[in-house]
Every structure is written in structure tokens, then in C-alpha cells.
Amino acid sequence: MAARRRQTEQKLTQVERAISPLRRETAKITVRAIATRAQVSSTFLYENPEARNLAREAAAAGTRRREQANQDTHDRLEATWRERALNAEEELTRAQKEILTQRQRIGELMGQLRDFEQMVPGESVQALVSENSALKQRVRQLTQEHRTLQERLEGARSNNRFAEKCIADLEAQLVELQNPIQPVFTTE
């Protein structure tokens, strides 16, 4: 009886020592992995209540650690996508305000040009016409920039929808992981 107790205690010590490095690894902790590392039989882990509790606790701790790592990854990805979308929307708003300001300025200058055409001799009119052409080119350039920013915003929104879909998939996986099928331990 004493020899059997010593042998059981020795096996329990081996199981405890095997669980420690398994906890540091990222792999899933299973009864088979613990038994292999501890060099004991799976039957011993199922039949011995202390060994069974050690295996259950190690598996639960591994599951919690993986869930936390998944949540951290999910949070980090969501934050970057959200930041990108906000930046794109801010830039689009800024560009739209700039375009509106430029259009108002162009309107004012066009009015002044018409006034000068009526008051100024022909040589000055040519200078004003060339300035007007430059302003029209600037309007075209700002319109192109507005179009580019609009496309970026649409891309950011698309990325955000994709990220939301990924989030939903990850949440579904978390729910599945929170309700795992528990192994049935039987003693025969």
C-alpha cells in the first residue's frame, strides 16, 4: 500500500511538473498532452481525482489564456480600423470645407474680373484672364483631390464593414469556446 501511495504521489508530481511548461506554451492543453509529458497513462489522469483536477484546471487556464489573447488581438485590430475610418472622415470634411472656401473665393474674383474688364484697358484684361485660367486650374485640382478623398473614405468604410464582419465571426468563436463540450470522465 505504501509503495502504491509513493508511486501515485510520484506520478502526481510528474503531472504537476509536466503542466508547468505546457502552460507557458501556446498549444492547447489536453489530457493526452499532459500524460505524454508526464510519462503517465491517460487512464491514471482520468481515474485519479487529484490528477483529473490538475488536468481540468490546466486545460481551463489554457482556454482562458487563448481567449484573452484572441480578445486582445481583436481589440487591437478594431482600434486600428476605427482610427483609419475616423481619419479619412476628418480629412474628407476638411477637404470639403477647403473646396467650398475656394469656390467662394473664385466667385469673388470672377466678379472682380468682370468689374475690371469694364474699367481697365486691354493689356490689363490679358493679365486678369491668365489669372482667371490659373484659378480655374486650381478649382480642377481641388475637385480631383475631393474625388480622391471620397474614394478613400469609401474604402475605409468598406474596410470597416469587413472588420465588423470579422468581429462578428470572432465573437461567434468566443461563444463557442465559452461553451465547450466537457470530456466525460468515467471510472471503471
Side-chain angles (χ1 to χ4, degrees), residues 1-14:
M1 294 287 277
R4 187 176 250 180
R5 238 181 272 124
R6 277 192 309 274
Q7 184 180 19
T8 300
E9 289 175 7
Q10 181 184 10
K11 286 181 180 182
L12 284 172
T13 304
Q14 288 173 297

Side-chain angles (χ1 to χ4, degrees), residues 110-163:
M110 293 286 284
Q112 290 174 7
L113 181 62
R114 285 188 200 109
D115 292 343
F116 283 131
E117 282 178 350
Q118 294 172 357
M119 299 186 313
V120 187
E123 297 169 1
S124 297
V125 172
Q126 183 60 33
L128 291 173
V129 169
S130 65
E131 185 178 340
N132 186 30
S133 297
L135 289 173
K136 285 182 180 179
Q137 184 177 0
R138 179 69 178 144
V139 167
R140 283 192 297 275
Q141 180 184 6
L142 288 172
T143 304
Q144 179 62 34
E145 288 176 11
H146 177 264
R147 198 173 301 124
T148 301
L149 289 173
Q150 188 69 33
E151 291 170 359
R152 284 183 184 172
L153 177 61
E154 289 176 21
R157 286 179 177 159
S158 174
N159 288 342
N160 196 22
R161 285 191 296 273
F162 176 76

